[in-house]
Amino acid sequence: MQLLTADTPANKMARTGRAMIYVHSKALVVDDIYAIVGSANINQRSMDGRRDTEIAVGCWETQEGTENLVAEGHVQGLRKSLWVEHLGVYEDVFEFPKSIECVRRVRELTDKNWELYLDNKSDTKAGHMMTYPIRVSRSGDITPATDNGFFPDTTAPILGTKSSYLPSRLTV
């Protein structure tokens, strides 16, 4: 039996139970009335139509016999189910996603999930949605929220790198 003593990414994952997850799908829910779910990226590979194969679907609901959009239908159900899955809990405040109370509660839950993710000893199951580990100063400066600037157990930088071909106003 091989001991997990070497300082490799695989051994760190085995010891801590933490792993980086790459999510390729994208979902956007707007005001509980429109949703788009797909795989396309906004880059040359996805948009030129000759390289990657991408797909997306847009959904909305209208009241029967009218063109009025339904705000409490299947799109809202999708948003709620995604929140429950990724936050790990359902709360009444989620009925009002535009409210400051809801925004604050989601932030509290994502902060808690990040702390549970960092806690190697925690047996508590956290949700999947976490606060992205950055700090933004009042002047707008962005810094990593970890001591070393990397995601836990990796050498993946939190801030990434500036693009050499995108306009500077689009990158940090």
Side-chain angles (χ1 to χ4, degrees):
M1 181 170 121
Q2 182 182 7
L3 296 177
L4 299 176
T5 55
D7 196 25
T8 66
N11 286 346
K12 286 179 183 178
M13 276 194 306
R15 283 193 308 270
T16 65
R18 294 189 298 235
M20 295 288 288
I21 299 172
Y22 176 75
V23 178
H24 186 70
S25 64
K26 291 87 177 164
L28 172 70
V29 178
V30 180
D31 294 338
D32 283 352
I33 59 172
Y34 183 77
I36 186 167
V37 180
S39 63
N41 296 300
I42 300 176
N43 63 23
Q44 184 64 29
R45 287 181 63 116
S46 291
M47 303 306 245
D48 80 359
R50 293 173 289 165
R51 296 178 74 185
D52 287 353
T53 303
E54 306 290 358
I55 191 167
V57 62
C59 307
W60 68 91
E61 220 173 325
T62 57
Q63 290 177 329
E64 192 171 330
T66 74
E67 295 198 14
N68 298 331
L69 294 175
V70 173
E72 295 180 357
H74 292 93
V75 173
Q76 183 187 64
L78 172 65
R79 189 231 347 133
K80 288 179 182 179
S81 68
L82 287 170
W83 282 24
V84 168
E85 178 180 348
H86 294 286
L87 290 170
V89 66
Y90 177 81
E91 297 184 7
D92 290 340
V93 72
F94 296 169
E95 293 292 323
F96 309 99
K98 296 178 189 177
S99 71
I100 192 65
E101 294 82 13
C102 183
V103 172
R104 287 180 178 145
R105 183 62 182 141
V106 168
R107 180 61 189 244
E108 289 170 5
L109 290 167
T110 58
D111 286 348
K112 176 184 163 200
N113 289 343
W114 174 251
E115 293 304 320
L116 289 171
Y117 178 75
L118 293 176
D119 182 8
N120 290 331
K121 299 175 185 77
S122 178
D123 290 332
T124 305
K125 291 287 184 191
H128 308 293
M129 189 184 305
M130 296 177 240
T131 303
Y132 198 81
I134 60 170
R135 292 185 187 101
V136 181
S137 72
R138 289 193 183 274
S139 64
D141 295 327
I142 299 172
T143 57
T146 60
D147 292 336
N148 64 5
F150 299 105
F151 285 99
D153 308 323
T154 74
T155 56
I158 289 170
L159 297 183
T161 57
K162 284 191 174 193
S163 169
S164 60
Y165 60 90
L166 288 176
S168 61
R169 66 178 180 262
L170 296 178
T171 61
V172 176

